[in-house]
PDB file of all heavy atoms in Angstrom:
ATOM      1  N   GLY A  29      18.105  15.780  -2.061  1.00 97.00           N
ATOM      2  CA  GLY A  29      17.738  16.887  -1.184  1.00 97.00           C
ATOM      3  C   GLY A  29      16.316  16.882  -0.676  1.00 97.00           C
ATOM      4  O   GLY A  29      15.867  17.868  -0.079  1.00 97.00           O
ATOM      5  N   MET A  30      15.606  15.793  -0.867  1.00 98.00           N
ATOM      6  CA  MET A  30      14.205  15.723  -0.444  1.00 98.00           C
ATOM      7  C   MET A  30      14.088  15.393   1.054  1.00 98.00           C
ATOM      8  O   MET A  30      14.965  14.776   1.652  1.00 98.00           O
ATOM      9  CB  MET A  30      13.474  14.654  -1.254  1.00 98.00           C
ATOM     10  CG  MET A  30      13.412  14.934  -2.738  1.00 98.00           C
ATOM     11  SD  MET A  30      12.312  16.295  -3.141  1.00 98.00           S
ATOM     12  CE  MET A  30      10.729  15.485  -2.911  1.00 98.00           C
ATOM     13  N   ASN A  31      12.964  15.794   1.637  1.00 98.00           N
ATOM     14  CA  ASN A  31      12.529  15.358   2.972  1.00 98.00           C
ATOM     15  C   ASN A  31      13.583  15.549   4.068  1.00 98.00           C
ATOM     16  O   ASN A  31      13.712  14.712   4.970  1.00 98.00           O
ATOM     17  CB  ASN A  31      12.093  13.887   2.931  1.00 98.00           C
ATOM     18  CG  ASN A  31      11.005  13.621   1.930  1.00 98.00           C
ATOM     19  OD1 ASN A  31      10.097  14.429   1.764  1.00 98.00           O
ATOM     20  ND2 ASN A  31      11.089  12.491   1.226  1.00 98.00           N
ATOM     21  N   LYS A  32      14.309  16.653   4.043  1.00 98.00           N
ATOM     22  CA  LYS A  32      15.346  16.880   5.050  1.00 98.00           C
ATOM     23  C   LYS A  32      14.773  16.903   6.463  1.00 98.00           C
ATOM     24  O   LYS A  32      15.440  16.527   7.423  1.00 98.00           O
ATOM     25  CB  LYS A  32      16.079  18.184   4.739  1.00 98.00           C
ATOM     26  CG  LYS A  32      16.917  18.136   3.470  1.00 98.00           C
ATOM     27  CD  LYS A  32      17.629  19.460   3.228  1.00 98.00           C
ATOM     28  CE  LYS A  32      18.480  19.394   1.958  1.00 98.00           C
ATOM     29  NZ  LYS A  32      19.174  20.683   1.694  1.00 98.00           N
ATOM     30  N   PHE A  33      13.551  17.358   6.600  1.00 98.00           N
ATOM     31  CA  PHE A  33      12.901  17.465   7.911  1.00 98.00           C
ATOM     32  C   PHE A  33      12.706  16.112   8.583  1.00 98.00           C
ATOM     33  O   PHE A  33      12.556  16.030   9.807  1.00 98.00           O
ATOM     34  CB  PHE A  33      11.529  18.135   7.770  1.00 98.00           C
ATOM     35  CG  PHE A  33      10.540  17.315   6.988  1.00 98.00           C
ATOM     36  CD1 PHE A  33       9.714  16.406   7.623  1.00 98.00           C
ATOM     37  CD2 PHE A  33      10.454  17.439   5.604  1.00 98.00           C
ATOM     38  CE1 PHE A  33       8.803  15.638   6.899  1.00 98.00           C
ATOM     39  CE2 PHE A  33       9.560  16.676   4.880  1.00 98.00           C
ATOM     40  CZ  PHE A  33       8.741  15.762   5.530  1.00 98.00           C
ATOM     41  N   ALA A  34      12.692  15.032   7.797  1.00 98.00           N
ATOM     42  CA  ALA A  34      12.396  13.702   8.346  1.00 98.00           C
ATOM     43  C   ALA A  34      13.405  13.273   9.402  1.00 98.00           C
ATOM     44  O   ALA A  34      13.093  12.464  10.286  1.00 98.00           O
ATOM     45  CB  ALA A  34      12.348  12.668   7.222  1.00 98.00           C
ATOM     46  N   THR A  35      14.608  13.826   9.351  1.00 98.00           N
ATOM     47  CA  THR A  35      15.650  13.487  10.332  1.00 98.00           C
ATOM     48  C   THR A  35      15.188  13.767  11.750  1.00 98.00           C
ATOM     49  O   THR A  35      15.564  13.058  12.689  1.00 98.00           O
ATOM     50  CB  THR A  35      16.936  14.283  10.031  1.00 98.00           C
ATOM     51  OG1 THR A  35      17.378  13.972   8.706  1.00 98.00           O
ATOM     52  CG2 THR A  35      18.038  13.944  11.022  1.00 98.00           C
ATOM     53  N   ASP A  36      14.362  14.794  11.932  1.00 98.00           N
ATOM     54  CA  ASP A  36      13.925  15.199  13.272  1.00 98.00           C
ATOM     55  C   ASP A  36      12.710  14.426  13.777  1.00 98.00           C
ATOM     56  O   ASP A  36      12.343  14.562  14.949  1.00 98.00           O
ATOM     57  CB  ASP A  36      13.620  16.691  13.299  1.00 98.00           C
ATOM     58  CG  ASP A  36      14.873  17.540  13.169  1.00 98.00           C
ATOM     59  OD1 ASP A  36      15.952  17.075  13.572  1.00 98.00           O
ATOM     60  OD2 ASP A  36      14.776  18.668  12.642  1.00 98.00           O
ATOM     61  N   ALA A  37      12.076  13.647  12.918  1.00 98.00           N
ATOM     62  CA  ALA A  37      10.902  12.887  13.358  1.00 98.00           C
ATOM     63  C   ALA A  37      11.357  11.709  14.222  1.00 98.00           C
ATOM     64  O   ALA A  37      12.147  10.877  13.769  1.00 98.00           O
ATOM     65  CB  ALA A  37      10.115  12.377  12.156  1.00 98.00           C
ATOM     66  N   PRO A  38      10.879  11.611  15.450  1.00 98.00           N
ATOM     67  CA  PRO A  38      11.336  10.524  16.331  1.00 98.00           C
ATOM     68  C   PRO A  38      10.824   9.151  15.935  1.00 98.00           C
ATOM     69  O   PRO A  38      11.378   8.134  16.348  1.00 98.00           O
ATOM     70  CB  PRO A  38      10.803  10.938  17.704  1.00 98.00           C
ATOM     71  CG  PRO A  38       9.664  11.848  17.416  1.00 98.00           C
ATOM     72  CD  PRO A  38       9.991  12.551  16.145  1.00 98.00           C
ATOM     73  N   VAL A  39       9.758   9.115  15.122  1.00 98.00           N
ATOM     74  CA  VAL A  39       9.192   7.834  14.685  1.00 98.00           C
ATOM     75  C   VAL A  39       8.967   7.868  13.178  1.00 98.00           C
ATOM     76  O   VAL A  39       8.488   8.865  12.633  1.00 98.00           O
ATOM     77  CB  VAL A  39       7.848   7.535  15.387  1.00 98.00           C
ATOM     78  CG1 VAL A  39       7.276   6.194  14.918  1.00 98.00           C
ATOM     79  CG2 VAL A  39       8.021   7.528  16.902  1.00 98.00           C
ATOM     80  N   MET A  40       9.334   6.790  12.527  1.00 98.00           N
ATOM     81  CA  MET A  40       9.039   6.599  11.106  1.00 98.00           C
ATOM     82  C   MET A  40       8.230   5.313  10.982  1.00 98.00           C
ATOM     83  O   MET A  40       8.641   4.265  11.489  1.00 98.00           O
ATOM     84  CB  MET A  40      10.323   6.477  10.291  1.00 98.00           C
ATOM     85  CG  MET A  40      11.282   7.636  10.426  1.00 98.00           C
ATOM     86  SD  MET A  40      10.718   9.163   9.627  1.00 98.00           S
ATOM     87  CE  MET A  40      11.016   8.773   7.903  1.00 98.00           C
ATOM     88  N   ILE A  41       7.080   5.403  10.342  1.00 99.00           N
ATOM     89  CA  ILE A  41       6.247   4.215  10.137  1.00 99.00           C
ATOM     90  C   ILE A  41       6.332   3.830   8.660  1.00 99.00           C
ATOM     91  O   ILE A  41       5.954   4.608   7.784  1.00 99.00           O
ATOM     92  CB  ILE A  41       4.792   4.468  10.551  1.00 99.00           C
ATOM     93  CG1 ILE A  41       4.733   4.821  12.050  1.00 99.00           C
ATOM     94  CG2 ILE A  41       3.932   3.226  10.262  1.00 99.00           C
ATOM     95  CD1 ILE A  41       3.343   5.145  12.554  1.00 99.00           C
ATOM     96  N   VAL A  42       6.859   2.640   8.429  1.00 99.00           N
ATOM     97  CA  VAL A  42       7.027   2.139   7.068  1.00 99.00           C
ATOM     98  C   VAL A  42       5.829   1.248   6.734  1.00 99.00           C
ATOM     99  O   VAL A  42       5.500   0.322   7.484  1.00 99.00           O
ATOM    100  CB  VAL A  42       8.331   1.323   6.942  1.00 99.00           C
ATOM    101  CG1 VAL A  42       8.453   0.701   5.561  1.00 99.00           C
ATOM    102  CG2 VAL A  42       9.530   2.220   7.241  1.00 99.00           C
ATOM    103  N   ILE A  43       5.172   1.551   5.611  1.00 98.00           N
ATOM    104  CA  ILE A  43       3.997   0.781   5.192  1.00 98.00           C
ATOM    105  C   ILE A  43       4.374  -0.005   3.946  1.00 98.00           C
ATOM    106  O   ILE A  43       4.668   0.567   2.900  1.00 98.00           O
ATOM    107  CB  ILE A  43       2.797   1.700   4.916  1.00 98.00           C
ATOM    108  CG1 ILE A  43       2.535   2.594   6.128  1.00 98.00           C
ATOM    109  CG2 ILE A  43       1.548   0.863   4.583  1.00 98.00           C
ATOM    110  CD1 ILE A  43       1.505   3.672   5.894  1.00 98.00           C
ATOM    111  N   SER A  44       4.379  -1.321   4.100  1.00 98.00           N
ATOM    112  CA  SER A  44       4.760  -2.195   2.991  1.00 98.00           C
ATOM    113  C   SER A  44       3.584  -3.054   2.561  1.00 98.00           C
ATOM    114  O   SER A  44       2.569  -3.157   3.267  1.00 98.00           O
ATOM    115  CB  SER A  44       5.937  -3.087   3.401  1.00 98.00           C
ATOM    116  OG  SER A  44       5.651  -3.807   4.582  1.00 98.00           O
ATOM    117  N   GLU A  45       3.731  -3.662   1.401  1.00 98.00           N
ATOM    118  CA  GLU A  45       2.661  -4.503   0.867  1.00 98.00           C
ATOM    119  C   GLU A  45       2.501  -5.776   1.686  1.00 98.00           C
ATOM    120  O   GLU A  45       3.463  -6.359   2.163  1.00 98.00           O
ATOM    121  CB  GLU A  45       2.951  -4.883  -0.583  1.00 98.00           C
ATOM    122  CG  GLU A  45       2.823  -3.758  -1.563  1.00 98.00           C
ATOM    123  CD  GLU A  45       2.961  -4.227  -2.999  1.00 98.00           C
ATOM    124  OE1 GLU A  45       3.146  -5.441  -3.228  1.00 98.00           O
ATOM    125  OE2 GLU A  45       2.881  -3.378  -3.909  1.00 98.00           O
ATOM    126  N   GLY A  46       1.237  -6.212   1.818  1.00 98.00           N
ATOM    127  CA  GLY A  46       0.915  -7.501   2.392  1.00 98.00           C
ATOM    128  C   GLY A  46       0.174  -8.322   1.353  1.00 98.00           C
ATOM    129  O   GLY A  46      -0.053  -7.855   0.223  1.00 98.00           O
ATOM    130  N   SER A  47      -0.210  -9.513   1.725  1.00 96.00           N
ATOM    131  CA  SER A  47      -0.869 -10.406   0.774  1.00 96.00           C
ATOM    132  C   SER A  47      -2.370 -10.148   0.721  1.00 96.00           C
ATOM    133  O   SER A  47      -3.007  -9.835   1.723  1.00 96.00           O
ATOM    134  CB  SER A  47      -0.623 -11.866   1.168  1.00 96.00           C
ATOM    135  OG  SER A  47       0.753 -12.157   1.178  1.00 96.00           O
ATOM    136  N   TYR A  48      -2.937 -10.271  -0.478  1.00 96.00           N
ATOM    137  CA  TYR A  48      -4.390 -10.316  -0.630  1.00 96.00           C
ATOM    138  C   TYR A  48      -4.918 -11.617  -0.035  1.00 96.00           C
ATOM    139  O   TYR A  48      -4.204 -12.634   0.018  1.00 96.00           O
ATOM    140  CB  TYR A  48      -4.763 -10.359  -2.114  1.00 96.00           C
ATOM    141  CG  TYR A  48      -4.766  -9.058  -2.861  1.00 96.00           C
ATOM    142  CD1 TYR A  48      -4.156  -8.964  -4.105  1.00 96.00           C
ATOM    143  CD2 TYR A  48      -5.427  -7.940  -2.374  1.00 96.00           C
ATOM    144  CE1 TYR A  48      -4.184  -7.797  -4.847  1.00 96.00           C
ATOM    145  CE2 TYR A  48      -5.461  -6.763  -3.103  1.00 96.00           C
ATOM    146  CZ  TYR A  48      -4.844  -6.695  -4.332  1.00 96.00           C
ATOM    147  OH  TYR A  48      -4.877  -5.533  -5.048  1.00 96.00           O
ATOM    148  N   ASN A  49      -6.195 -11.636   0.361  1.00 96.00           N
ATOM    149  CA  ASN A  49      -6.848 -12.925   0.545  1.00 96.00           C
ATOM    150  C   ASN A  49      -7.371 -13.375  -0.825  1.00 96.00           C
ATOM    151  O   ASN A  49      -7.288 -12.639  -1.810  1.00 96.00           O
ATOM    152  CB  ASN A  49      -7.953 -12.872   1.614  1.00 96.00           C
ATOM    153  CG  ASN A  49      -9.045 -11.869   1.289  1.00 96.00           C
ATOM    154  OD1 ASN A  49      -9.287 -11.538   0.120  1.00 96.00           O
ATOM    155  ND2 ASN A  49      -9.738 -11.379   2.318  1.00 96.00           N
ATOM    156  N   LYS A  50      -7.869 -14.581  -0.915  1.00 96.00           N
ATOM    157  CA  LYS A  50      -8.244 -15.151  -2.216  1.00 96.00           C
ATOM    158  C   LYS A  50      -9.325 -14.337  -2.920  1.00 96.00           C
ATOM    159  O   LYS A  50      -9.281 -14.140  -4.139  1.00 96.00           O
ATOM    160  CB  LYS A  50      -8.692 -16.599  -2.038  1.00 96.00           C
ATOM    161  CG  LYS A  50      -7.573 -17.545  -1.651  1.00 96.00           C
ATOM    162  CD  LYS A  50      -8.077 -18.973  -1.520  1.00 96.00           C
ATOM    163  CE  LYS A  50      -6.936 -19.914  -1.131  1.00 96.00           C
ATOM    164  NZ  LYS A  50      -7.418 -21.319  -0.985  1.00 96.00           N
ATOM    165  N   THR A  51     -10.303 -13.863  -2.143  1.00 97.00           N
ATOM    166  CA  THR A  51     -11.416 -13.123  -2.743  1.00 97.00           C
ATOM    167  C   THR A  51     -10.950 -11.793  -3.338  1.00 97.00           C
ATOM    168  O   THR A  51     -11.296 -11.430  -4.468  1.00 97.00           O
ATOM    169  CB  THR A  51     -12.514 -12.857  -1.699  1.00 97.00           C
ATOM    170  OG1 THR A  51     -12.832 -14.067  -1.026  1.00 97.00           O
ATOM    171  CG2 THR A  51     -13.771 -12.312  -2.351  1.00 97.00           C
ATOM    172  N   ALA A  52     -10.136 -11.064  -2.582  1.00 97.00           N
ATOM    173  CA  ALA A  52      -9.633  -9.786  -3.070  1.00 97.00           C
ATOM    174  C   ALA A  52      -8.697  -9.972  -4.252  1.00 97.00           C
ATOM    175  O   ALA A  52      -8.713  -9.187  -5.204  1.00 97.00           O
ATOM    176  CB  ALA A  52      -8.914  -9.041  -1.944  1.00 97.00           C
ATOM    177  N   SER A  53      -7.900 -11.026  -4.203  1.00 96.00           N
ATOM    178  CA  SER A  53      -6.979 -11.314  -5.310  1.00 96.00           C
ATOM    179  C   SER A  53      -7.744 -11.579  -6.601  1.00 96.00           C
ATOM    180  O   SER A  53      -7.409 -11.043  -7.664  1.00 96.00           O
ATOM    181  CB  SER A  53      -6.105 -12.514  -4.965  1.00 96.00           C
ATOM    182  OG  SER A  53      -5.240 -12.835  -6.027  1.00 96.00           O
ATOM    183  N   LEU A  54      -8.794 -12.390  -6.501  1.00 97.00           N
ATOM    184  CA  LEU A  54      -9.612 -12.699  -7.664  1.00 97.00           C
ATOM    185  C   LEU A  54     -10.302 -11.439  -8.187  1.00 97.00           C
ATOM    186  O   LEU A  54     -10.293 -11.154  -9.389  1.00 97.00           O
ATOM    187  CB  LEU A  54     -10.648 -13.765  -7.310  1.00 97.00           C
ATOM    188  CG  LEU A  54     -11.624 -14.153  -8.433  1.00 97.00           C
ATOM    189  CD1 LEU A  54     -10.867 -14.751  -9.615  1.00 97.00           C
ATOM    190  CD2 LEU A  54     -12.667 -15.149  -7.907  1.00 97.00           C
ATOM    191  N   GLY A  55     -10.899 -10.666  -7.288  1.00 96.00           N
ATOM    192  CA  GLY A  55     -11.602  -9.451  -7.682  1.00 96.00           C
ATOM    193  C   GLY A  55     -10.675  -8.452  -8.361  1.00 96.00           C
ATOM    194  O   GLY A  55     -11.050  -7.807  -9.348  1.00 96.00           O
ATOM    195  N   SER A  56      -9.459  -8.333  -7.851  1.00 96.00           N
ATOM    196  CA  SER A  56      -8.495  -7.404  -8.431  1.00 96.00           C
ATOM    197  C   SER A  56      -8.145  -7.787  -9.868  1.00 96.00           C
ATOM    198  O   SER A  56      -8.040  -6.932 -10.743  1.00 96.00           O
ATOM    199  CB  SER A  56      -7.219  -7.380  -7.573  1.00 96.00           C
ATOM    200  OG  SER A  56      -6.269  -6.495  -8.108  1.00 96.00           O
ATOM    201  N   LYS A  57      -8.002  -9.083 -10.095  1.00 96.00           N
ATOM    202  CA  LYS A  57      -7.662  -9.559 -11.442  1.00 96.00           C
ATOM    203  C   LYS A  57      -8.849  -9.424 -12.395  1.00 96.00           C
ATOM    204  O   LYS A  57      -8.697  -8.972 -13.537  1.00 96.00           O
ATOM    205  CB  LYS A  57      -7.204 -11.018 -11.379  1.00 96.00           C
ATOM    206  CG  LYS A  57      -5.863 -11.205 -10.678  1.00 96.00           C
ATOM    207  CD  LYS A  57      -5.520 -12.677 -10.527  1.00 96.00           C
ATOM    208  CE  LYS A  57      -4.197 -12.864  -9.786  1.00 96.00           C
ATOM    209  NZ  LYS A  57      -3.887 -14.291  -9.541  1.00 96.00           N
ATOM    210  N   VAL A  58     -10.030  -9.818 -11.944  1.00 97.00           N
ATOM    211  CA  VAL A  58     -11.211  -9.790 -12.805  1.00 97.00           C
ATOM    212  C   VAL A  58     -11.578  -8.353 -13.185  1.00 97.00           C
ATOM    213  O   VAL A  58     -11.910  -8.065 -14.340  1.00 97.00           O
ATOM    214  CB  VAL A  58     -12.406 -10.489 -12.106  1.00 97.00           C
ATOM    215  CG1 VAL A  58     -13.693 -10.262 -12.892  1.00 97.00           C
ATOM    216  CG2 VAL A  58     -12.139 -11.985 -11.956  1.00 97.00           C
ATOM    217  N   LYS A  59     -11.514  -7.449 -12.212  1.00 96.00           N
ATOM    218  CA  LYS A  59     -11.920  -6.054 -12.450  1.00 96.00           C
ATOM    219  C   LYS A  59     -10.743  -5.157 -12.831  1.00 96.00           C
ATOM    220  O   LYS A  59     -10.935  -3.968 -13.072  1.00 96.00           O
ATOM    221  CB  LYS A  59     -12.626  -5.486 -11.212  1.00 96.00           C
ATOM    222  CG  LYS A  59     -13.844  -6.299 -10.747  1.00 96.00           C
ATOM    223  CD  LYS A  59     -14.838  -6.566 -11.864  1.00 96.00           C
ATOM    224  CE  LYS A  59     -15.518  -5.314 -12.363  1.00 96.00           C
ATOM    225  NZ  LYS A  59     -16.531  -5.599 -13.414  1.00 96.00           N
ATOM    226  N   ASN A  60      -9.552  -5.729 -12.875  1.00 97.00           N
ATOM    227  CA  ASN A  60      -8.358  -4.965 -13.227  1.00 97.00           C
ATOM    228  C   ASN A  60      -8.248  -3.692 -12.382  1.00 97.00           C
ATOM    229  O   ASN A  60      -8.056  -2.578 -12.891  1.00 97.00           O
ATOM    230  CB  ASN A  60      -8.362  -4.607 -14.719  1.00 97.00           C
ATOM    231  CG  ASN A  60      -7.019  -4.061 -15.192  1.00 97.00           C
ATOM    232  OD1 ASN A  60      -5.983  -4.434 -14.651  1.00 97.00           O
ATOM    233  ND2 ASN A  60      -7.045  -3.195 -16.197  1.00 97.00           N
ATOM    234  N   ASN A  61      -8.378  -3.885 -11.079  1.00 97.00           N
ATOM    235  CA  ASN A  61      -8.369  -2.762 -10.141  1.00 97.00           C
ATOM    236  C   ASN A  61      -7.357  -3.046  -9.027  1.00 97.00           C
ATOM    237  O   ASN A  61      -7.382  -4.122  -8.425  1.00 97.00           O
ATOM    238  CB  ASN A  61      -9.770  -2.563  -9.545  1.00 97.00           C
ATOM    239  CG  ASN A  61      -9.957  -1.166  -8.983  1.00 97.00           C
ATOM    240  OD1 ASN A  61      -8.988  -0.472  -8.696  1.00 97.00           O
ATOM    241  ND2 ASN A  61     -11.203  -0.757  -8.821  1.00 97.00           N
ATOM    242  N   ASP A  62      -6.476  -2.108  -8.777  1.00 97.00           N
ATOM    243  CA  ASP A  62      -5.421  -2.287  -7.783  1.00 97.00           C
ATOM    244  C   ASP A  62      -5.966  -2.013  -6.379  1.00 97.00           C
ATOM    245  O   ASP A  62      -5.733  -0.955  -5.797  1.00 97.00           O
ATOM    246  CB  ASP A  62      -4.257  -1.348  -8.107  1.00 97.00           C
ATOM    247  CG  ASP A  62      -3.089  -1.514  -7.163  1.00 97.00           C
ATOM    248  OD1 ASP A  62      -3.081  -2.470  -6.361  1.00 97.00           O
ATOM    249  OD2 ASP A  62      -2.174  -0.668  -7.220  1.00 97.00           O
ATOM    250  N   TYR A  63      -6.698  -2.988  -5.837  1.00 97.00           N
ATOM    251  CA  TYR A  63      -7.301  -2.817  -4.518  1.00 97.00           C
ATOM    252  C   TYR A  63      -6.250  -2.577  -3.436  1.00 97.00           C
ATOM    253  O   TYR A  63      -6.491  -1.860  -2.465  1.00 97.00           O
ATOM    254  CB  TYR A  63      -8.134  -4.043  -4.144  1.00 97.00           C
ATOM    255  CG  TYR A  63      -9.327  -4.306  -5.023  1.00 97.00           C
ATOM    256  CD1 TYR A  63      -9.713  -5.614  -5.321  1.00 97.00           C
ATOM    257  CD2 TYR A  63     -10.081  -3.270  -5.552  1.00 97.00           C
ATOM    258  CE1 TYR A  63     -10.815  -5.876  -6.117  1.00 97.00           C
ATOM    259  CE2 TYR A  63     -11.188  -3.516  -6.350  1.00 97.00           C
ATOM    260  CZ  TYR A  63     -11.547  -4.823  -6.632  1.00 97.00           C
ATOM    261  OH  TYR A  63     -12.635  -5.078  -7.426  1.00 97.00           O
ATOM    262  N   ARG A  64      -5.081  -3.194  -3.582  1.00 97.00           N
ATOM    263  CA  ARG A  64      -4.055  -3.070  -2.551  1.00 97.00           C
ATOM    264  C   ARG A  64      -3.648  -1.596  -2.339  1.00 97.00           C
ATOM    265  O   ARG A  64      -3.569  -1.126  -1.205  1.00 97.00           O
ATOM    266  CB  ARG A  64      -2.825  -3.898  -2.911  1.00 97.00           C
ATOM    267  CG  ARG A  64      -1.735  -3.852  -1.829  1.00 97.00           C
ATOM    268  CD  ARG A  64      -0.482  -4.595  -2.249  1.00 97.00           C
ATOM    269  NE  ARG A  64      -0.657  -6.030  -2.143  1.00 97.00           N
ATOM    270  CZ  ARG A  64      -0.691  -6.865  -3.183  1.00 97.00           C
ATOM    271  NH1 ARG A  64      -0.595  -6.386  -4.419  1.00 97.00           N
ATOM    272  NH2 ARG A  64      -0.824  -8.158  -3.007  1.00 97.00           N
ATOM    273  N   SER A  65      -3.437  -0.893  -3.436  1.00 97.00           N
ATOM    274  CA  SER A  65      -3.053   0.515  -3.315  1.00 97.00           C
ATOM    275  C   SER A  65      -4.156   1.332  -2.664  1.00 97.00           C
ATOM    276  O   SER A  65      -3.896   2.228  -1.844  1.00 97.00           O
ATOM    277  CB  SER A  65      -2.726   1.098  -4.698  1.00 97.00           C
ATOM    278  OG  SER A  65      -1.556   0.519  -5.216  1.00 97.00           O
ATOM    279  N   ILE A  66      -5.394   1.032  -3.032  1.00 98.00           N
ATOM    280  CA  ILE A  66      -6.535   1.732  -2.430  1.00 98.00           C
ATOM    281  C   ILE A  66      -6.582   1.467  -0.931  1.00 98.00           C
ATOM    282  O   ILE A  66      -6.729   2.395  -0.115  1.00 98.00           O
ATOM    283  CB  ILE A  66      -7.854   1.281  -3.093  1.00 98.00           C
ATOM    284  CG1 ILE A  66      -7.867   1.675  -4.571  1.00 98.00           C
ATOM    285  CG2 ILE A  66      -9.058   1.874  -2.365  1.00 98.00           C
ATOM    286  CD1 ILE A  66      -8.988   1.047  -5.372  1.00 98.00           C
ATOM    287  N   ASP A  67      -6.424   0.208  -0.545  1.00 98.00           N
ATOM    288  CA  ASP A  67      -6.496  -0.168   0.872  1.00 98.00           C
ATOM    289  C   ASP A  67      -5.371   0.465   1.686  1.00 98.00           C
ATOM    290  O   ASP A  67      -5.581   0.910   2.824  1.00 98.00           O
ATOM    291  CB  ASP A  67      -6.446  -1.690   1.011  1.00 98.00           C
ATOM    292  CG  ASP A  67      -7.638  -2.385   0.390  1.00 98.00           C
ATOM    293  OD1 ASP A  67      -8.673  -1.724   0.181  1.00 98.00           O
ATOM    294  OD2 ASP A  67      -7.537  -3.591   0.098  1.00 98.00           O
ATOM    295  N   ILE A  68      -4.174   0.510   1.114  1.00 98.00           N
ATOM    296  CA  ILE A  68      -3.049   1.136   1.808  1.00 98.00           C
ATOM    297  C   ILE A  68      -3.319   2.630   1.996  1.00 98.00           C
ATOM    298  O   ILE A  68      -3.022   3.198   3.060  1.00 98.00           O
ATOM    299  CB  ILE A  68      -1.739   0.892   1.036  1.00 98.00           C
ATOM    300  CG1 ILE A  68      -1.321  -0.577   1.175  1.00 98.00           C
ATOM    301  CG2 ILE A  68      -0.619   1.804   1.549  1.00 98.00           C
ATOM    302  CD1 ILE A  68      -0.149  -0.986   0.303  1.00 98.00           C
ATOM    303  N   GLY A  69      -3.892   3.269   0.987  1.00 98.00           N
ATOM    304  CA  GLY A  69      -4.225   4.682   1.101  1.00 98.00           C
ATOM    305  C   GLY A  69      -5.250   4.946   2.196  1.00 98.00           C
ATOM    306  O   GLY A  69      -5.114   5.896   2.977  1.00 98.00           O
TER     307      GLY A  69
END
């Protein structure tokens, strides 16, 4: 029963994960920080 109003929205934009570049991938692992989620937000 969630989001019933969405039916009336003429456009839906779906945001999916993309790939890190090498620097961001390394930084995310070393610092244990989910940069991807931050960037998507």
Side-chain angles (χ1 to χ4, degrees):
M30 297 289 285
N31 303 321
K32 292 181 179 179
F33 66 90
T35 301
D36 290 332
V39 180
M40 304 289 284
I41 299 178
V42 175
I43 306 172
S44 54
E45 289 187 1
S47 300
Y48 279 133
N49 59 26
K50 291 181 180 179
T51 310
S53 178
L54 178 62
S56 180
K57 291 175 182 176
V58 171
K59 304 308 293 183
N60 192 30
N61 201 340
D62 183 10
Y63 296 144
R64 182 184 284 113
S65 292
I66 296 169
D67 296 340
I68 288 172

